[in-house]
Amino acid sequence: LVSSGSTGAPARRSAGDVPDLVAKAREGHPRAVARLISLVEDESPLLREVMAALAPHAGHAQVVGVTGSPGVGKSTSTSALVAELRKADKRVGILAVDPSSPFSGGALLGDRVRMQDHALDREVYIRSMASRGHLGGLAWTTPQAVRVLDAAGSDVILIETVGVGQSEVEIAGLADTTLVLLAPGMGDGIQAAKAGILEIGDLYVINKADRDGADQVRRDLRSMLALAERPEGSWRPPIVKTIASRSEGLDEVVAEIDKHRAWLEESGELERRRTRRARDEIEAIAVTALRARWGDVHGRSELDDLAASVVAGTSDPYTAADLLLEAFSE
Ligand SMILES: Nc1nc2c(ncn2[C@@H]2O[C@H](COP(=O)(O)OP(=O)(O)OP(=O)(O)O)[C@@H](O)[C@H]2O)c(=O)[nH]1
Ligand SMILES: [Mg+2]
């Protein structure tokens, strides 16, 4: 079932609708799920109540991040992965997050078309989301959307995001298991090292293995991964070759995701990752709330006044920061 982003006018909702929406979403009604995610995208004031109602029902889903350079085959792989997960009768939620554009639209339209294989499957929920480019980017909108899908009964939630700059690192923070896709002929060996993706992958997928050079990418990657120092007992990320466009190799990807999941549970890393994720989310909400408080009172903010005093030399940044925190922390 494919749902568009909040491109239309957001429906006005009163607080009285929230319990009903949450109840319907928990039963897996796609419309209710869509509305809740729209509330997240719109940064609605109702989110406070929504999240309080959802929190006790979340925590079941396995969250899998799919990242890699543009065109490497993330959407094709995600779609093929969904088919594989459906064979095992898993309910799947998919979030395509575009951190580069402040509004959902063009870039993700192609993805929706590609996902049409699953568009009529009630056990698959697909949603593209834009992050608004506020501080933290994906930091709190994505985990909240994940919480909605989780509470709606997803067994697996796939988050696809283009690997641009920071977002790769961010997605690693959002997922239990992070898949990094590479492909031959994209200069990915060098890119891998540059973009710091060697630290974030729990599983590396060399896609487009039908093309020349896949084995070379695998060798390069293997030697780069071998250089990374890993403490005893830590996870050693496997490398899997796939041809996503022909749905080849995805069974092995699913098997490796399952192995990683088992390791996460045994090692205690799942708990650590989820705690870290919650911390990041709390921090992002707190910082956003503080910013909202000290921003724009009568056009000129307290922060502007403090900045002026620092520039004038009548205050210093530490004193100014103390004053700011004092003024807005009650
Ligand atoms: N030859 C070959 N082509 C593939 C394979 N997997 C995907 N493609 C093609 O690669 C192109 C890009 O695939 P996408 O799945 O859109 O890649 P993406 O990473 O989602 O791209 P963005 O979302 O734009 O970053 C499409 O034309 C796919 O058909 C593969 O295994 N082999
Ligand atoms: Mg894509």
Side-chain angles (χ1 to χ4, degrees):
L1 206 90
V2 184
S3 148
S4 65
S6 64
T7 37
R12 288 243 170 274
R13 310 238 127 237
S14 67
D17 294 333
V18 169
D20 183 47
L21 266 182
V22 166
K24 288 217 169 80
R26 286 197 55 213
E27 286 162 25
H29 286 280
R31 281 227 180 107
V33 174
R35 290 220 183 101
L36 290 180
I37 296 182
S38 290
L39 293 180
V40 173
E41 260 192 330
D42 297 338
E43 299 177 17
S44 161
L46 296 178
L47 284 178
R48 183 176 282 268
E49 194 187 340
V50 171
M51 291 303 138
L54 291 180
H57 309 291
H60 162 76
Q62 188 175 358
V63 185
V64 178
V66 179
T67 192
S69 317
V72 74
K74 294 179 294 298
S75 299
T76 314
S77 301
T78 300
S79 181
L81 205 52
V82 171
E84 201 60 40
L85 291 164
R86 293 297 298 128
K87 281 191 212 161
D89 218 24
K90 302 266 169 99
R91 186 186 271 198
V92 189
I94 303 162
L95 283 177
V97 182
D98 187 352
S100 56
S101 87
F103 302 101
S104 53
L108 291 167
L109 223 57
D111 289 342
R112 283 186 209 141
V113 174
R114 222 166 285 127
M115 292 292 175
Q116 266 172 3
D117 289 352
H118 307 292
L120 296 175
D121 187 340
R122 262 197 75 112
E123 300 300 310
V124 178
Y125 182 88
I126 304 166
R127 173 64 175 250
S128 50
M129 249 183 73
S131 74
R132 308 248 159 185
H134 48 64
L135 182 85
L138 308 172
W140 65 268
T141 50
T142 312
Q144 294 196 348
V146 165
R147 190 171 295 112
V148 172
L149 291 175
D150 190 346
S154 302
D155 297 305
V156 180
I157 298 169
L158 301 170
I159 310 175
E160 178 195 337
T161 192
V162 183
V164 269
Q166 273 243 295
S167 64
E168 287 160 333
V169 180
E170 287 187 351
I171 202 170
L174 296 169
D176 300 328
T177 299
T178 300
L179 267 58
V180 175
L181 268 60
L182 304 170
M186 302 188 68
D188 264 331
I190 307 137
Q191 266 176 326
K194 251 203 312 213
I197 63 165
L198 290 174
E199 285 92 61
I200 67 162
D202 298 306
L203 170 55
Y204 289 88
V205 178
I206 317 256
N207 189 40
K208 307 195 185 183
D210 52 324
R211 294 198 177 162
D212 288 343
D215 287 318
Q216 187 60 46
V217 175
R218 191 215 276 258
R219 276 195 293 277
D220 291 349
L221 179 64
R222 196 173 270 157
S223 52
M224 281 190 280
L225 287 172
L227 294 175
E229 282 182 36
R230 290 174 204 279
E232 197 64 33
S234 59
W235 174 256
R236 301 199 168 264
I239 304 173
V240 176
K241 283 200 291 184
T242 59
I243 306 172
S245 52
R246 287 192 230 140
S247 299
E248 284 178 34
L250 278 304
D251 48 350
E252 203 185 329
V253 172
V254 169
E256 293 294 351
I257 291 173
D258 286 345
K259 272 191 218 163
H260 185 246
R261 169 66 182 219
W263 175 82
L264 285 172
E265 284 180 0
E266 284 159 23
S267 64
E269 179 66 13
L270 186 64
E271 199 62 29
R272 279 194 291 277
R273 286 190 184 195
R274 292 191 165 179
T275 306
R276 194 162 58 215
R277 202 190 299 168
R279 271 183 57 131
D280 290 347
E281 192 181 354
I282 296 165
E283 192 173 88
I285 292 171
V287 169
T288 304
L290 271 176
R291 287 203 154 181
R293 281 190 213 170
W294 68 51
D296 274 353
V297 188
H298 311 302
R300 190 173 170 80
S301 75
E302 184 83 13
L303 186 56
D304 289 328
D305 293 338
L306 289 166
S309 67
V310 170
V311 172
T314 53
S315 185
D316 67 275
Y318 285 98
T319 307
D322 286 343
L323 286 170
L324 194 60
L325 285 172
E326 269 166 36
F328 293 98
S329 61
E330 75 291 332

